[in-house]
Each structure stands twice: as structure tokens, then as C-alpha cells.
Amino acid sequence: MTVMSTPSSIAPRILISISDLRFSYGPAGAGVRPILEGFDLEVRESELLSIVGPSGCGKSTLLSIIAGLLRVDAGTVLVDGAERTEPGPDRAMIFQEDAVFPWRTVRANVEYGLQMQGKSRAERHRIADEYLRLVGLVDVWDLFPRQLSGGMRKRVDVARAMAVQPQILLLDEPFAALDVMTKEQLQLDFLGVWAKTQLTAIFVTHDLEEALFLSDRVVVMSRDPARVIRDVAVPFSRPRDRTLRTSQEFQELRGELAEQLRFETGDLEAIEAT
Amino acid sequence: MSTLRIAAHSALRPAIFIRHRNVLRRLVVPLVILGVWELVCELGLVRPLILPPPHAVWDAFTGMKGQLPGAILTTLSITLTGFLIGTAIGLAMGLVMAYSVIARDFFGTIFDFLRPVPIFALIPLFLLWFGIGKPPEVALVSMGCAVILGVSTSEAIRNIPSIYIRAGLTLGARRSGIYRTVIIPYIFPHLVGAIRLAAASAWGLDVAAEFMGSQQGLGYLIIEQQIYLRTAGIFVLVFVYCILAIVFDVLIARIERHVTRWTERRSAKGIVASIVGSQ
């Protein structure tokens, strides 16, 4: 396993710039303690960034804010220099819950975003087939989601989000509900798909190993208030395969981060399976 | 175990019996009722005015053959028109009330007020407002159906998992797009029960409407039979209503099966039977 110094020598452009974010559930100023306060984060173009942290630390909330699904009390989210407050296909999101539309066939699901963009039927077919091939579902295009396994439905979800050719891909613990085998396979396949598109992606997870295995950079968050307690460039070269997980460097880095997370949060149960 | 039993069956019984076993089983109870009915009448236990024997009902049917097609047509047109208008209005009201808070504030009160009102109590008013003839009858059927659909629609929309809406929004759907591509397809299977209920109610509302002031149609014929004490004729007309209602229900069920083929409740036996067993 080769260990590189820093990921890239070219100065990467900042695509997402989050500054001084404040967010609380419930009416503003109602004395509710905010989930996020004075939160800053920058994401570079074509970077696969993972955010890890204990449950309830606000990482999923942060993702929903970037997606435009939640309104902030204060602060800005700049994407490509412009403020985004409404949801849009430039920031496609993949959720932990099963979000595949059960009333649409696999292909119709993947075509959904394209249909919303008003693309022609032929165009939709072409793009959908391309992404179905990419996630390995080209043979089941005419099935309904209820006929697929959980892992396959997740693939549909990934294909659907990528088919709209977003600028940013937001992933909210997408594989958390899957069994370990399926999860590991999907992680590998996701890396394959991601490598082809080089999309800027933010991957929220509570699984440190998943975060290290997938990303270029890992941000560790703590809660109350949400803040970044560690920002690590992941030094492993790509393409990555299963053997990376068992390598000594990988395990050392994981152990170090887990230790720090336990220390910072004072919560031994915070990080599962580490 | 069950394969053994099936094998034993097919060895002993003719194949045609096996294939139609379900149909034959279903016929047992109606045939028994028919037999008891005839027997009770033959033994003179009940006066024919109260319960005419089955063969008298048949005679009444052959006697009314000439009148029936026209009456059926009238009744069908009232019931179906009322059902379609009412369903459309109810669906639209439900959707509009879910779409806009303003609409909900405006119409919600009226809707909540009308919901518990027994529709039949409105018959005299409808006659007063719309006169005698088809319009009040159609209006009555429509109103009954609209209330059923309106309530079910807003209820179904309230239960949509937000994940589908969030997913739609992040994939670039606007508000109207969410309605067209998420809300309507999602609620449809949940409305099937309401639509079937509305269809069944439509027949009842039609009968009531025709009782009040119709000059044609099946309900009117029933009143006519009653005046001339032709009990057998009433039986005939009740059967005709039954058959129409059943055919209509089966048609709706057919359409339902096609439109909701994405859901998991497709199998005829249903989920409970598949768990508990249906032997």
C-alpha cells in the first residue's frame, strides 16, 4: 500500500463554502439550543469528503441544509460562489431511508430527475440506461422496486441521483441500513462509479472505517455544539480495494481517529463498530 | 403434505372438478338458501305477499323484461354520472385542501360541517332546489361520493412519507411536479377503498333518490311494484341492482389491479392468508 503525502499538487478550487451557520429545530429564538452554531466548512471541487460524528451531532442536518431542504437561522451556504437556499438537482441527495419511488419501474426512477428537467423521452432513456449500466442494474430496468433487494434499491437510488448530473452529490448514511456484505460491495461499486464521474461528494456516516475507505478527506464532528474536531486528508492512493481495510496504516489511522473521537465526545458508544 | 393431498385429489376426481373446485364451493351456500327458500314457500309457511317463491320471482322477471332495459339505462346514467362527478369533485377538493393552506382554511370548515350530515336528509332540499327528475338525483349521488373521496384523499396525502417528497425536491421537482409525480401516484392505492365505497354508496343513493321523485329507472319501478303489491317484482329489481353493483365493483377492482401493480398487496389471497394459511 502506497502512502502519498497530500492528495494533489494543483491548488484545488473551493466548490462549497459554508460559513457561520446557525440552525435549530423549532422556531428561531424560542430558547431551543441550536444544533449548529458558528459552523464553517469548505469542500473542494471533485473531492469526496466524509463527515463522521456521533448520532445527533448535526451531520445529517448539515447535509439537509446544503441540499436546501432546511432553512438556516443564520449563515451562508455558497456553492460555486452563489447562495443556494432552495433544493435543486445541482445537489442531488441519497438518503439512508429507502427513497426509491415504489410506483415507478427501475428505469422510470432513474429517469425521474431528467423528466423533471423536461428532457425528451429518447434522451431520458439513453441517460438512464447509461447510469443503470454503471451501477449494474441494466437487466432489471423494467422491474418495480418491491421486486428488488435492499442493496439493489440502493443502487437505483445512486443511479437516480447521478443521472441528473449534479454538481454535488450528498449522501446521508446511504449504506447504513444494509447488511455488512452488501454494504462493502456497494462501497466498492460506489467508488468505481465515483471514480468515473469525479463528482464532488459529501458522505455523511457514523462508520469511521467506511469514511476512511471511501474519502479523500475525513471531517470528524462532535456534538453540542457541532464543531469540526479533526480534519484529516486520507493518504491512501486510488483505486482502493478490500485489502486496504486490513492494512496497518489504515487500521492505525482509524484507531487514532476513533480514540480522539471518544476522547472529545466523552461518549464511548458514540462511534459504533470501531 | 399439501402436495400429497393434491396428488390424491387429482387421482380420484375428474380434472374439471379440481379446476372449478373454488367456484363449486362458492355456489354451495347460495344453492342451499335457494332450496330452503323454495321449500318454505311450498310448505306454505310464509304468505307469498311476504316472500314469493323463487319461481314466482322468475315469472315476474320474464314479465318485466320489456321495462327493464330502459330502467337499467336510466339508473346507470344517474349512478355513473353522479359517481364520476362526485369522485372528481371529492378528489379535487382533497388535493386542493392539501395543496394550499388558504384553500384548507376556506373549505375545511364547510367540509367538516358537511361530512357527518346524513346525505339522505338532504333529499327534500335537493328536490326543492333542483326540481323533479335527473338533476337532483345526480346531485345527491355526487355529493355522497364527493364527501367520501374528499375525506380519504386529504387523509391519504397526510400520510405520505416525507422521504419521497424530499427525494423529489432534491431531484429537481417543483411543487406542482411533486403533486403530479409523487403525491397522486402515492395516494392512488390508498384511495381504492374509498372509490369502491363511493361506488357502492352511489347505488344506495340512487335508490333513495329515485324513491323520492323519479318517473323512470329501477328505483321508480320498485316503488311501482310496491304500490301494486308485487313483491316478486321487488325481488327482481333488487337482484338487478345487485348484479349492476357487483359488475361495477369487479370493473373497478380490475382497473385497480392494473394501476396498483407496484404495491405489495397484489396477491388475491392477501397478506393475512399468506401468513396464517388459507386451507
Side-chain angles (χ1 to χ4, degrees):
Chain A
M1 195 54 52
T2 48
V3 178
M4 307 193 308
S5 48
T6 22
S8 173
S9 48
I10 324 148
R13 195 165 70 100
I14 302 292
L15 186 63
I16 308 171
S17 176
I18 296 164
S19 53
D20 206 19
L21 219 54
R22 185 193 149 92
F23 177 86
S24 53
Y25 286 101
V32 189
R33 193 151 182 209
I35 306 271
L36 299 167
E37 192 164 28
F39 188 87
D40 302 308
L41 185 70
E42 283 183 337
V43 186
R44 298 179 201 102
E45 190 167 24
S46 295
E47 178 178 46
L48 208 173
L49 169 77
S50 280
I51 301 177
V52 280
S55 51
C57 74
K59 53 195 195 297
S60 290
T61 303
L62 179 66
L63 216 54
S64 288
I65 290 169
I66 299 171
L69 293 171
L70 292 174
R71 283 287 156 79
V72 291
D73 301 335
T76 50
V77 176
L78 299 180
V79 177
D80 224 355
E83 194 166 355
R84 310 283 167 96
T85 52
E86 295 289 324
D90 55 323
R91 286 149 292 145
M93 186 151 172
I94 300 170
F95 302 86
Q96 177 182 349
E97 300 139 276
D98 186 4
V100 174
F101 300 134
W103 54 88
R104 285 178 166 244
T105 60
V106 168
R107 181 153 76 191
N109 258 291
V110 179
E111 285 183 9
Y112 183 84
L114 306 166
Q115 192 186 335
M116 293 299 107
Q117 290 169 2
K119 288 213 163 46
S120 75
R121 180 182 282 263
E123 180 88 347
R124 287 188 332 237
H125 265 40
R126 190 185 59 72
I127 299 174
D129 283 347
E130 182 187 324
Y131 282 92
L132 284 175
R133 199 165 300 123
L134 214 55
V135 297
L137 285 181
V138 82
D139 295 329
V140 298
W141 65 271
D142 59 342
L143 295 185
F144 281 103
R146 69 179 167 85
Q147 295 165 293
L148 306 178
S149 66
M152 284 165 103
R153 281 206 287 272
K154 223 43 223 186
R155 286 168 194 270
V156 176
D157 219 341
V158 172
R160 183 174 70 174
M162 292 188 118
V164 297
Q165 284 151 331
Q167 208 173 0
I168 300 157
L169 197 59
L170 304 168
L171 303 103
D172 188 6
E173 307 198 34
F175 309 140
L178 303 170
D179 63 274
V180 179
M181 297 274 281
T182 313
K183 183 177 179 167
E184 287 188 359
Q185 189 56 50
L186 272 170
Q187 286 168 354
L188 276 174
D189 293 348
F190 173 72
L191 274 187
V193 174
W194 179 79
K196 281 182 191 142
T197 55
Q198 286 289 316
L199 269 173
T200 307
I202 306 181
F203 196 108
V204 160
T205 176
H206 61 255
D207 179 348
L208 252 181
E209 192 168 302
E210 179 174 61
L212 285 172
F213 184 69
L214 295 177
S215 10
D216 299 316
R217 183 158 70 105
V218 174
V219 162
V220 182
M221 262 168 87
S222 77
R223 70 179 156 206
D224 293 327
R227 65 207 145 85
V228 175
I229 56 171
R230 185 81 191 262
D231 188 333
V232 199
V234 179
F236 312 116
S237 66
R238 294 184 190 274
R240 298 172 185 171
D241 59 32
R242 286 179 208 282
T243 55
L244 173 64
R245 283 176 201 281
T246 47
S247 71
Q248 203 189 341
E249 296 97 321
F250 186 89
Q251 288 302 327
E252 273 170 11
L253 187 53
R254 199 211 63 182
E256 184 197 325
L257 287 179
E259 189 62 35
Q260 180 166 26
L261 199 65
R262 282 198 197 96
F263 177 73
E264 292 278 344
T265 61
D267 182 355
L268 292 169
E269 288 167 305
I271 292 296
E272 294 156 39
T274 47
Chain B
M1 171 66 195
S2 70
T3 32
L4 268 180
R5 191 153 47 186
I6 287 163
H9 265 296
S10 43
L12 294 170
R13 314 285 171 95
I16 189 132
F17 181 80
I18 299 292
R19 202 172 315 138
H20 297 289
R21 197 170 43 180
N22 286 341
V23 181
L24 289 174
R25 238 190 260 159
R26 276 160 199 250
L27 284 177
V28 169
V29 173
L31 286 175
V32 168
I33 291 176
L34 209 64
V36 172
W37 181 2
E38 181 76 53
L39 198 70
V40 163
C41 297
E42 282 303 311
L43 293 174
L45 294 175
V46 192
R47 281 190 298 150
L49 179 65
I50 309 287
L51 185 68
H55 67 262
V57 174
W58 179 256
D59 291 343
F61 170 68
T62 49
M64 289 169 73
K65 256 187 194 162
Q67 283 174 290
L68 280 179
I72 290 176
L73 222 60
T74 306
T75 293
L76 265 183
S77 73
I78 294 167
T79 310
L80 291 188
T81 317
F83 168 75
L84 289 177
I85 294 176
T87 306
I89 290 176
L91 195 63
M93 292 271 285
L95 285 171
V96 166
M97 284 195 297
Y99 188 76
S100 119
V101 183
I102 300 169
R104 189 156 56 238
D105 291 346
F106 269 115
F107 300 119
T109 329
I110 301 175
F111 220 78
D112 289 338
F113 180 72
L114 281 181
R115 197 165 33 169
V117 172
I119 307 287
F120 297 115
L122 299 175
I123 290 176
L125 284 180
F126 274 56
L127 286 177
L128 207 61
W129 294 337
F130 301 104
I132 287 173
K134 277 192 185 179
E137 296 167 4
V138 171
L140 191 76
V141 177
S142 308
M143 185 155 163
C145 294
V147 171
I148 296 173
L149 258 293
V151 173
S152 308
T153 305
S154 41
E155 207 57 39
I157 293 176
R158 209 170 301 158
N159 292 328
I160 292 187
S162 70
I163 182 74
Y164 296 134
I165 294 171
R166 280 184 283 152
L169 287 173
T170 58
L171 290 165
R174 308 233 149 261
R175 219 175 136 85
S176 61
I178 292 287
Y179 258 77
R180 202 161 34 79
T181 58
V182 178
I183 292 179
I184 292 177
Y186 177 85
I187 63 171
F188 200 84
H190 299 262
L191 292 184
V192 168
I195 289 173
R196 286 173 84 164
L197 181 63
S201 311
W203 298 103
L205 289 160
D206 169 81
V207 176
E210 286 193 38
F211 276 8
M212 290 312 287
S214 185
Q215 300 301 314
Q216 47 195 342
L218 291 170
Y220 165 72
L221 281 185
I222 290 183
I223 293 294
E224 203 184 59
Q225 306 300 307
Q226 188 198 13
I227 291 168
Y228 295 110
L229 299 179
R230 288 200 293 249
T231 315
I234 297 178
F235 271 90
V236 171
L237 292 163
V238 170
F239 282 134
V240 173
Y241 262 118
C242 282
I243 290 164
L244 289 177
I246 290 168
V247 169
F248 194 39
D249 191 56
V250 168
L251 275 177
I252 294 177
R254 277 279 165 78
I255 298 170
E256 176 213 343
R257 205 163 306 154
H258 179 75
V259 181
T260 64
R261 62 194 189 283
W262 58 271
T263 61
E264 280 168 33
R265 54 188 192 110
R266 280 185 76 201
S267 78
K269 277 180 184 163
I271 189 102
V272 176
S274 69
I275 295 165
V276 185
S278 62
Q279 270 301 305

